[in-house]
Amino acid sequence: MPLFITSSTVRPNRLNDKKNKDYHTQYARWCMQSMNHPLYRNFVTKTLINWSFYKGGDGQWIFEEDLESFFLDESGDVRNRLKIAKNLIRPMVEQYVGNAVRLAYTARARATSDFAINERESELKKLKFAQGVAANFDFAEKTIKDNFVIGNTPEETEDIFINSWVDNHERDINNLIEYISNDINIDEIKVQCTKHLAISGLGLYKGEEVNGRYIGDFKDPLFYFWDLSAKKPDLSDSEYMGEWRYMDAPSIFERYPHLTNDERQSIERYSQNESAEIHRLVDNYYNTSVGSKIPVYEVYWKDMEVQEYGYVLDDYGYPYFARINHPDSKWKTKDVIEPQNDVYQDFLKGEKTQKIYVDILRYCIFIPKEEISSGGGNYEDIVLEYGEAPYQEKYTIDPSSVEFPYKAYTWAYDKGEVLSPLDDAIQPQRFINRLLSVAESHINNSRGTGSVIAKDAVDPRDGEESIMRNINTSKPIFVDTTRTGSVQNSVGQYGSNLGQGTMSLFNVIKEMQIAMQDVTGINEAMTGTQGGSDALVGVIESQIQRGSLVQEPFYYALTSILRQAYQHMSEVGKRVYADNPRRLAIMTGDRGMEHIIMTKNVQLEDYRVFVERDESKKTARQNGNSLLFTLRQAGLIDDLVFSNLFNRSNSDDIAIALREHQQDKAEMVKVNEQRAAAAQEGQAAAMAQEENAAANRQQAAMDNDNNNRQLDRDAEIDKTMMKEVAKNTRDEMKYLNEQNNAQAPPPNI
């Protein structure tokens, strides 16, 4: 067991004391005093006992009452008994672990913040508004439908939106947590948490940021302590919690380079004195091979901080009680508004802002002076790291609440006491071991059977050799009963072989084994070890169902740990990798990276993870393939979507792809309509042009005919006029001639 804080410590004043190095050290030492509490000691001792019984062998013979009083008699002599154990604890634990290995589940993040909800509603309002404008103004209908996917009615528009809406931010967060879960090997964490949950009754996970990466792993509850006044089974209402671990000196020097030379010398001297670890042992079972490593304690606690809050208008015009004038908030004093609600005005007491106390998480990583002094070092605490915990798990919907990096859940919890499924199986296991040891002693002391013949009844004439030969050949023997009185007094049987009493011990062992199975819920029907082939199928199914019901709280605790772990990945992992765009782009792609880090609002967006037990990944892919064939035959997806999803997607992935495909299909329909309209317009223009050309040609022909006819008319007119002129000319000439002739003198005769 770890070295407890020997000197009493008073908790520092969280309101007045400066939050410096001494403050963090004193607070951490005060938190560690819970390790002196009897409940915590009982938890550690019980866990060590359960681990010993899980290992089996001599590990199940650790109690004094099973040793001295059982293997020795009243005089102190040995009873010739062996330490025999039929390990029934390990199959119970392995049953839990085996079911956990086969446990399939889905973990999906759902956006719950005002930002995501308002964004969805805002997009829907835009489409409804566009539909209304298109319905009321004919001149704008074509332009609006070319740019928005809308229907002819508001209801149709909403149906289209619901079927095609995909939250890109939510999808990218799910891709992120899936990548993180694979990176930290969540399946191995699940198995190890199951084993610890079965043995100690407490499963534990921790997530943190290390060198720009999100790191998560299971934790051994033996190296974990918490606020014993916590009431909830997940220990989330604890005021403090922490862990201790062994680190080698080079790792300490590498991770914490700011140590002074004296502190490094103290750590090095401690690592050289391997005998100093003797005080950390409990009955030689706690930790017997730490070598030259140094115990390092890491403590987290909920502290408080005064922060300024006021009402502002969010991006969608709603009043919002937000933190202002803080690096993690975009709101400033100039953004504060006057609340309209009387309750809010009474709360602010006429002021626009109010200073309130909110929870923050502080931590301290150090080596206590009690530890370091045992190695001959300086009698001072060596503080490795302290301050406000980075990347705290907070939510915009409740900014005054903060979560610990440890994610725990207990099988059964009552006022600081943790129970495990094995607690009630330890005593029956001990009793079975005792019965086996007694039975072994009886078997070891058993001998054969034979005949007893009175020596006086042996006939001197034949002698003992004749009687022995007859017995070996199953022939009659003859004895003289004149001296013994009867054959019964002369011949008898002796025997020290296994009797009915010894065999009855095994019946008691079987009954005790059944009693253990009834308590733990792990019966022979569930493990497939039921004896006999005449068991009815209905009886076996009933036993399996009863056992499953008894085990159900165990797997509820396990899925609760997984849910908290995924929740931590979605909130903390998002902000860790938002500060590391290169790794984030590898996880979610460039577009996903842009969605996560594009604005401060997106980084602060809240998500809630829901973990549900589901079919295995192999079965999910097979069912997904069947669904893909159905959708393809129905024409709801095309060949490209089918090939991209086949044999690597489940129903959720297919649903998202189906919505995206319908959205793309609607976009394509809109594009085709635009192309058809453009083609129709082009065809109409061509036809109009052709008609105009034909009309022009016809008009030209008509004009040509008219011109020709006019020319003919003009020619006829000209001809007629020429004739008339000629006629007139002839007439005029004739007239002139006649006039001339009339005026001339008569000729001389």
Side-chain angles (χ1 to χ4, degrees), residues 733-745:
M733 290 297 297
K734 182 178 179 182
Y735 174 76
L736 292 175
N737 290 332
E738 289 177 354
Q739 289 291 329
N740 291 331
N741 292 332
Q743 293 177 3

Side-chain angles (χ1 to χ4, degrees), residues 179-276:
Y179 186 97
I180 294 176
S181 63
N182 292 331
D183 186 41
I184 65 176
N185 196 359
I186 192 66
D187 290 333
E188 174 66 18
I189 294 174
K190 177 184 66 175
V191 171
Q192 296 301 327
C193 285
T194 301
K195 182 170 293 187
H196 288 294
L197 185 62
I199 294 177
S200 67
L202 175 63
L204 191 62
Y205 167 89
K206 182 187 179 185
E208 58 183 335
E209 179 270 337
V210 178
N211 296 329
R213 291 183 57 192
Y214 179 91
I215 302 297
D217 202 356
F218 73 94
K219 293 296 179 180
D220 190 343
L222 279 174
F223 299 85
Y224 169 75
F225 61 92
W226 70 95
D227 179 11
L228 296 173
S229 65
K231 303 297 182 183
K232 295 183 179 180
D234 61 355
L235 308 180
S236 60
D237 57 338
S238 297
E239 184 181 351
Y240 56 84
M241 59 179 61
E243 64 172 314
W244 59 282
R245 58 184 179 272
Y246 287 107
M247 297 181 64
D248 56 79
S251 298
I252 295 177
F253 299 155
E254 178 183 3
R255 184 168 181 178
Y256 308 104
H258 63 275
L259 295 175
T260 64
N261 186 57
D262 292 339
E263 291 173 337
R264 293 192 184 93
Q265 291 295 336
S266 298
I267 293 174
E268 181 64 19
R269 283 194 299 268
Y270 180 89
S271 64
Q272 292 175 341
N273 186 9
E274 297 186 6
S275 63

Side-chain angles (χ1 to χ4, degrees), residues 679-698:
Q680 187 175 3
E681 291 178 357
Q683 185 177 3
M687 293 178 61
Q689 185 176 2
E690 181 64 25
E691 292 177 355
N692 292 333
N696 292 334
R697 288 194 299 270
Q698 185 178 3

Side-chain angles (χ1 to χ4, degrees), residues 13-31:
N13 191 321
R14 289 173 291 193
L15 296 177
N16 299 330
D17 290 350
K18 294 181 179 180
K19 308 299 175 68
N20 53 16
K21 179 179 178 181
D22 293 338
Y23 171 85
H24 287 79
T25 306
Q26 293 176 11
Y27 210 117
R29 291 177 61 85
W30 177 81
C31 296

